[in-house]
Amino acid sequence: MNLVSAQSPPAIVRQLRADEQELRTATGARFVAVARDRQLAIRAVGKRPAAARAVMRLRPAERDDVAARLDLERLSAATPPLRAHIRIAPAAPLDQLAAWYREAQRRFGVRWQLLAAVNFVESDFNRLRNTSVAGAQGPMQFEPATWRAYGLGGDVHDPHDAILGAAHYLAANGGRTDERGALFHYNPSRLYVDAVARYAHRIATVQTALAEYYAWKLIVRKR
């Protein structure tokens, strides 16, 4: 199930559809393999904007993933790559993360799916442990001054504390009713806002989406 860069949009659509259908019943190592097959397909088509647009026309259900990938490709191209040694560690178990997202939603009124999407985009669920080129740290990538204001006295590197801090910050900037506006305060990039909002929408509407993203392989641009 390997995607090659020369595949036509209809072939890509067939692959993505088949993988998503299999994810509904796959478990364990097979689920991870199929999720990563989708990941590679989406990343490949994200480097071919014309093909990506064709895929979205042919299968609107793929719009969230494909458009988010296009956004992140453009954002990555405009962002200096990490030059420090890449620090990678395991993420907390998915059921524990989901419990923390829901706890933050109950406390601050920000949708748990939005918090999951921020966690995914910012640090791949805390697998990537580097400080950003802008000085942001931790699973939800807070700059020090923002963490002091919204971190509730917690540890910026602790995933539970960071998720609560992110919910606090998003809520303070209207995240209960204006998610995109709150995300723009979090990161003033329309590309970032659109990517996170699209992942949050897919997590909310596709039952397997969060587990799929959790299964994706961390890929870091270094140069």
Side-chain angles (χ1 to χ4, degrees), residues 196-219:
V196 172
R198 288 185 180 281
Y199 285 133
H201 180 260
R202 188 162 182 270
I203 292 168
T205 56
V206 177
Q207 185 175 2
T208 58
L210 179 58
E212 178 188 338
Y213 297 148
Y214 187 83
W216 282 9
K217 185 176 181 180
L218 173 62
I219 299 173

Side-chain angles (χ1 to χ4, degrees), residues 62-73:
E62 302 296 349
R63 182 171 296 277
D64 283 334
D65 270 341
V66 174
R69 188 65 240 164
L70 288 171
D71 290 334
L72 293 177
E73 287 286 343

Side-chain angles (χ1 to χ4, degrees), residues 75-143:
L75 185 61
S76 177
T79 304
L82 286 173
R83 299 190 183 278
H85 175 72
I86 301 300
R87 297 175 55 236
I88 298 171
L94 182 56
D95 59 351
Q96 181 64 81
L97 287 172
W100 290 335
Y101 302 144
R102 288 179 169 86
E103 176 189 349
Q105 176 180 274
R106 290 192 299 271
R107 184 165 174 181
F108 294 103
V110 175
R111 281 195 310 145
W112 73 263
Q113 295 94 339
L114 188 69
L115 297 167
V118 171
N119 196 193
F120 174 45
V121 171
E122 292 289 358
S123 68
D124 194 36
F125 304 109
N126 200 33
R127 291 191 180 96
L128 181 62
R129 302 289 178 92
N130 285 64
T131 297
S132 78
V133 293
Q137 303 175 41
M140 304 299 266
Q141 288 289 281
F142 274 94
E143 294 183 7

Side-chain angles (χ1 to χ4, degrees), residues 40-54:
L40 292 176
I42 291 163
R43 288 184 68 89
V45 78
K47 298 180 185 298
R48 301 167 57 200
R53 290 190 292 272

Side-chain angles (χ1 to χ4, degrees), residues 110 114-115 118 166-190 192-193 196:
V110 175
L114 188 69
L115 297 167
V118 171
H168 184 202
Y169 183 53
L170 289 166
N173 288 288
R176 297 180 185 89
T177 56
D178 179 10
E179 292 182 348
R180 284 180 176 263
L183 287 171
F184 194 77
H185 280 276
Y186 207 97
N187 184 326
S189 162
R190 297 297 178 189
Y192 172 89
V193 170
V196 172

